Coordinates of all heavy atoms in Angstrom, one line a residue:
G1041 N -35.5 -13.9 6.6 CA -36.4 -12.9 6.0 C -36.7 -11.8 7.0 O -37.2 -10.8 6.6
L1042 N -36.4 -12.0 8.3 CA -36.6 -10.9 9.2 C -35.8 -9.7 8.8 O -36.3 -8.5 9.0 CB -36.1 -11.3 10.6 CG -36.4 -10.4 11.8 CD1 -37.8 -10.1 12.0 CD2 -35.8 -10.9 13.1
R1043 N -34.7 -9.9 8.2 CA -33.8 -8.7 7.7 C -34.5 -7.8 6.7 O -34.1 -6.7 6.5 CB -32.5 -9.3 7.1 CG -32.7 -10.1 5.9 CD -31.3 -10.8 5.5 NE -31.4 -11.7 4.4 CZ -31.7 -13.0 4.4 NH1 -32.1 -13.5 5.5 NH2 -31.7 -13.7 3.3
F1044 N -35.6 -8.3 6.1 CA -36.3 -7.5 5.1 C -37.6 -6.9 5.7 O -38.3 -6.1 4.9 CB -36.8 -8.4 3.9 CG -35.6 -9.1 3.2 CD1 -35.5 -10.5 3.2 CD2 -34.6 -8.3 2.6 CE1 -34.4 -11.1 2.6 CE2 -33.5 -8.9 2.0 CZ -33.4 -10.3 1.9
Q1045 N -37.9 -7.1 6.9 CA -39.0 -6.5 7.5 C -38.8 -5.1 8.0 O -37.6 -4.7 8.2 CB -39.5 -7.4 8.7 CG -39.8 -8.8 8.4 CD -40.9 -8.8 7.3 OE1 -41.9 -8.2 7.3 NE2 -40.6 -9.6 6.2
R1046 N -39.9 -4.3 8.1 CA -39.8 -2.9 8.5 C -39.7 -2.9 10.1 O -40.8 -2.7 10.7 CB -40.9 -2.1 7.9 CG -40.9 -2.1 6.4 CD -42.0 -1.4 5.9 NE -41.9 0.0 6.2 CZ -42.1 1.0 5.5 NH1 -42.6 0.8 4.3 NH2 -42.0 2.3 5.9
I1047 N -38.5 -3.0 10.6 CA -38.3 -2.9 12.0 C -37.1 -2.0 12.3 O -36.3 -1.9 11.4 CB -38.1 -4.3 12.7 CG1 -36.9 -5.0 12.1 CG2 -39.3 -5.2 12.6 CD1 -36.5 -6.3 12.8
T1048 N -37.2 -1.3 13.4 CA -36.1 -0.4 13.7 C -34.9 -1.2 14.2 O -35.0 -1.9 15.2 CB -36.6 0.6 14.8 OG1 -37.7 1.3 14.3 CG2 -35.5 1.6 15.1
V1049 N -33.8 -1.0 13.5 CA -32.5 -1.7 13.9 C -31.3 -0.9 13.4 O -31.5 -0.1 12.5 CB -32.4 -3.1 13.3 CG1 -33.4 -4.1 13.9 CG2 -32.6 -3.1 11.8
V1050 N -30.2 -1.1 14.0 CA -29.0 -0.5 13.5 C -28.5 -1.2 12.2 O -28.3 -0.6 11.2 CB -27.8 -0.5 14.5 CG1 -26.5 0.1 13.9 CG2 -28.3 0.4 15.7
L1051 N -28.5 -2.5 12.3 CA -28.2 -3.4 11.1 C -29.4 -4.4 11.0 O -30.0 -4.8 12.0 CB -27.0 -4.2 11.4 CG -25.6 -3.6 11.2 CD1 -24.5 -4.6 11.6 CD2 -25.4 -3.2 9.8
P1052 N -29.7 -4.8 9.8 CA -30.8 -5.8 9.7 C -30.4 -7.0 10.5 O -29.2 -7.3 10.7 CB -30.7 -6.2 8.2 CG -30.2 -4.9 7.5 CD -29.2 -4.4 8.5
Q1053 N -31.4 -7.7 11.0 CA -31.1 -8.9 11.9 C -31.8 -10.1 11.5 O -32.9 -10.1 10.8 CB -31.7 -8.5 13.4 CG -31.0 -7.4 14.1 CD -31.6 -7.1 15.4 OE1 -32.7 -7.6 15.8 NE2 -30.9 -6.4 16.2
E1054 N -31.2 -11.3 11.9 CA -31.9 -12.6 11.9 C -31.6 -13.2 13.2 O -30.6 -12.8 13.9 CB -31.3 -13.5 10.8 CG -31.5 -13.0 9.3 CD -33.0 -13.0 8.9 OE1 -33.9 -13.6 9.6 OE2 -33.3 -12.5 7.8
L1055 N -32.5 -14.0 13.7 CA -32.4 -14.7 15.0 C -32.0 -16.1 14.9 O -32.4 -16.8 14.0 CB -33.8 -14.5 15.7 CG -34.4 -13.1 15.8 CD1 -35.7 -13.1 16.5 CD2 -33.4 -12.1 16.4

Side-chain angles (χ1 to χ4, degrees):
L1042 184 62
R1043 64 190 178 273
F1044 301 118
Q1045 299 306 311
R1046 296 178 68 140
I1047 59 175
T1048 302
V1049 289
V1050 174
L1051 282 175
Q1053 295 179 345
E1054 296 291 351
L1055 308 181

